Amino acid sequence: MSELINKKIGEKGCCDIIEIKGLNKWYGDFHALKEIDLNVKEGEIIVVCGPSGSGKSTLIRCVNFLEKFQEGSILVDGTELTDDVKKIRQVRSEVSMVFQHFNLFPHLSIIDNLTLAPIWVHNETKQESREKALKLLDRVGIKDQAEKYPNQLSGGQQQRVAIARALCTSPKIMLFDEPTSALDPEMISEVLDVMIELAKEGITMLCVTHEMGFAKKVADRVIFMDEGQVIEQNTPEKFFENPESERLQLFLDQILTQ
Amino acid sequence: MAIYSLKETKQPPQSQTKAILWLKDNLFSSALNVLLTFVALYILYLLLPPILNWTIFDANFDMTADNQSCGREGACWSFINANLKMFIYGFYPQEELWRVNTMFGLIAVLIAFGSLIKNSQYRAHYIIGSFLIYPVVAFILLHGGLGLEVVETDKWGGLTLTVVVAAVGIVASFPLGILFALGRQSEMRVVKFISVVYIEFVRGVPLITILFMASVVLPLFFSAGMDFDKLLRALIGITLFQTAYIAEVIRGGLQAIPRGQYEAADAAGLSFMQKTTLVILPQALKISIPNIVGSFISLFKDTTLLLIIGLFDMLAIVGAATSNSNWLGRETEGYVFVAMVIWVILYSMSHYSKRLEVRFSTEHK
């Protein structure tokens, strides 16, 4: 089976863009992440799932250092994450994140939300960042809302803006932290459609989600976490049809019978 | 099972007599409400006639009347007219009054000119430039220098002094308050400690104490020859005091910003300064507008305490004017006049704050 995984991965780039080794994290006494080892190839689409409190969000938030960790190492595109502010900003300028609750800046118009980081972090001119932003808004289907403010849009529209904002800095890696969990049911598909489009374009994606349809459709690898550890990882076909561990079987039974 | 067709959208029902409906809803909706309405009407009946009689119907509006010919039944408004210059300028020399007028006039000119600038970037530059240059110009105009005769600060008084002290207090305490609010949230222990100690110390002491300390205790630490200007000491005291309150108000705003905003700014790669000035502060200040303005309003009122250290603000001028033997016993007119002037100024401030809130609103409209 590992051959199968490697074969699948082999189709994507040659090199690991994220290397996580021996990662341990504690909140106080609570051991949130236990000895995580995970390598992600360039262009790979990874879906992380697991019950709530399993550490999946914590894991991807370590990748852009929104969470500090106590042991282990994370290399992102060759830069090791340490307390060094310069290195952290270097990594963050290449990694974009989409949050569960969108976290758009409510005091800025949609277009200003998109151009903030390009102008201030990537030193682009107002003109070029604006052009790029409008293209991206067009791509996620909300170009005509550019001058509105986030609170004037629906949840689905806000999350599509958040994805466009994340793309506006031309990141190498996209992190998705439960991007559809806060949405009304009828708005989930409009966000997933954008994400599927994105996955086809070869950007590296690390995605925490319970949308198993999305995982089956585009994931190269699905990871199951529980109690702060990686329990099982596999290609989506094997993952859903032949789950090996008992806990994954139980988890899949629970979410698929919903 | 049944299928329902979509209903038409209709206008809400209109009643013909809106005024009567309003009265019924607001004044006579229940037995208690009816009772309260009549109690309120009775109180108005008791209070309004004497007030109106004194200020208008029995009052003497003859601006040439002196204290004797004015009569005692109603207000003698010629008192205000005769002392108007003192109310506005204090004891500022007569022949130099144009300097105070120019200072106030310049504000109007600056605001009028600023409203003509449409480009938001030029406008920001203009505002920042004005804030840097205007205080210097105003100081030279008021105090003298550069060929203008020096007018010592103990000659300043009245509305001029009130406005100068309030304006300096507001303009200086706002940026300092932001710094201390951020300092109190800082992860750097020393900065946080200093901020907390400062804020809690100043908030734990009445303004009068600080004014006394600034005007009486502070000079003890300096050698005899060094004489600090009294007004300057008062300004420093008021600014220090106001800074602590503004800092707490803004901290309240900062705490209302969800964690997700910090995370989104971090994840985008913004530096601490960029995150603070571009994402966090604009939102925190917007939330804090009503409280910031409220704090400025109480600062404006607090300027009346300057009397205690021997500075004559507009309220203190009432005492000074009525101690003149020509105008004995006209305190009431003076206090009513000052109260009205202060009310107009403070009401404008609070009205302006409401307009700011509407302007910065990004919610559904």
Side-chain angles (χ1 to χ4, degrees), chain B residues 5 20 31 71 90 113 117 215 219 346 357:
Chain B
S5 57
I20 290 176
F113 197 70
I117 303 176
S215 72
L346 294 187
E357 279 174 62

Side-chain angles (χ1 to χ4, degrees), chain A:
Chain A
M1 158 174 30
S2 62
E3 281 166 29
L4 224 171
I5 298 172
N6 285 335
K7 193 187 157 215
K8 180 102 192 181
I9 293 165
E11 294 166 8
K12 301 282 173 177
C14 62
C15 320
D16 290 336
I17 196 164
I18 304 175
E19 294 170 55
I20 302 175
K21 270 199 197 85
L23 182 68
N24 278 288
K25 175 172 174 66
W26 289 265
Y27 290 110
D29 285 335
F30 177 68
H31 200 168
L33 293 177
K34 298 173 187 162
E35 283 297 322
I36 307 271
D37 292 299
L38 178 67
N39 284 13
V40 180
K41 300 262 185 216
E42 211 169 336
E44 202 176 2
I45 314 291
I46 291 186
V47 167
V48 186
C49 61
S52 91
S54 60
K56 51 198 193 304
S57 279
T58 311
L59 173 64
I60 72 160
R61 287 159 59 90
C62 282
V63 174
N64 64 352
F65 215 67
L66 282 186
E67 299 284 352
K68 288 182 177 178
F69 48 88
Q70 286 87 352
E71 275 178 18
S73 71
I74 300 181
L75 259 87
V76 180
D77 201 19
T79 309
E80 179 163 11
L81 277 170
T82 57
D83 281 329
D84 186 347
V85 180
K86 267 190 189 161
K87 284 188 178 169
I88 295 172
R89 287 192 69 196
Q90 162 71 26
V91 168
R92 283 173 179 170
S93 70
E94 292 179 17
V95 181
S96 282
M97 189 165 209
V98 176
F99 297 87
Q100 183 179 2
H101 296 287
F102 331 137
N103 296 354
L104 294 175
F105 304 128
H107 62 301
L108 298 177
S109 64
I110 300 303
I111 186 85
D112 289 341
N113 262 281
L114 264 70
T115 57
L116 187 76
I119 290 175
W120 293 93
V121 182
H122 300 263
N123 299 317
E124 288 176 22
T125 65
K126 244 184 175 171
Q127 189 60 34
E128 56 182 324
S129 63
R130 206 184 147 81
E131 278 165 19
K132 196 164 61 173
L134 285 174
K135 256 181 226 163
L136 283 166
L137 283 178
D138 195 21
R139 221 173 101 186
V140 297
I142 29 184
K143 194 179 179 182
D144 47 337
Q145 319 272 17
E147 300 301 332
K148 285 197 179 172
Y149 286 91
N151 290 339
Q152 297 167 330
L153 303 187
S154 74
Q157 288 174 322
Q158 288 192 49
Q159 194 61 299
R160 283 185 282 152
V161 170
I163 294 174
R165 175 177 74 174
L167 289 171
C168 211
T169 54
S170 315
K172 290 187 175 167
I173 301 165
M174 289 278 282
L175 306 174
F176 290 85
D177 188 2
E178 305 205 28
T180 55
S181 316
L183 294 175
D184 291 334
E186 78 270 23
M187 293 175 181
I188 289 177
S189 65
E190 67 185 54
V191 170
L192 285 181
D193 288 345
V194 171
M195 289 171 64
I196 291 167
E197 280 300 307
L198 203 58
K200 287 177 188 161
E201 285 170 26
I203 194 167
T204 311
M205 282 168 73
L206 206 55
C207 190
V208 173
T209 183
H210 292 127
E211 294 299 328
M212 291 307 142
F214 172 78
K216 280 180 195 164
K217 219 176 219 164
V218 298
D220 295 307
R221 208 173 359 149
V222 187
I223 292 175
F224 176 67
M225 285 183 73
D226 196 9
E227 291 177 24
Q229 334 180 19
V230 174
I231 303 290
E232 191 169 338
Q233 54 172 315
N234 218 323
T235 58
E237 298 85 39
K238 295 270 178 188
F239 186 92
F240 292 109
E241 279 152 30
N242 273 321
E244 285 172 35
S245 70
E246 211 172 298
R247 263 185 285 188
L248 176 54
Q249 285 165 15
L250 198 69
F251 177 74
L252 288 177
D253 281 348
Q254 279 166 346
I255 58 169
L256 295 179
T257 53
Q258 260 174 13

Side-chain angles (χ1 to χ4, degrees), chain B residues 186-223:
Chain B
S186 173
E187 281 168 21
M188 286 181 276
R189 286 293 168 84
V190 180
V191 173
K192 183 171 182 163
F193 180 75
I194 293 172
S195 305
V196 170
V197 168
Y198 173 78
I199 291 169
E200 291 306 330
F201 173 75
V202 172
R203 286 191 346 134
V205 182
L207 176 59
I208 294 192
T209 320
I210 292 183
L211 286 178
F212 268 132
M213 275 172 39
S215 72
V216 183
V217 183
L218 206 61
L220 296 179
F221 296 111
F222 297 104
S223 53

Side-chain angles (χ1 to χ4, degrees), chain B residues 48-63:
Chain B
L48 267 187
I51 292 175
L52 290 177
N53 282 340
W54 186 82
T55 52
I56 297 170
F57 301 123
D58 294 340
N60 191 336
F61 285 92
D62 177 10
M63 289 306 164

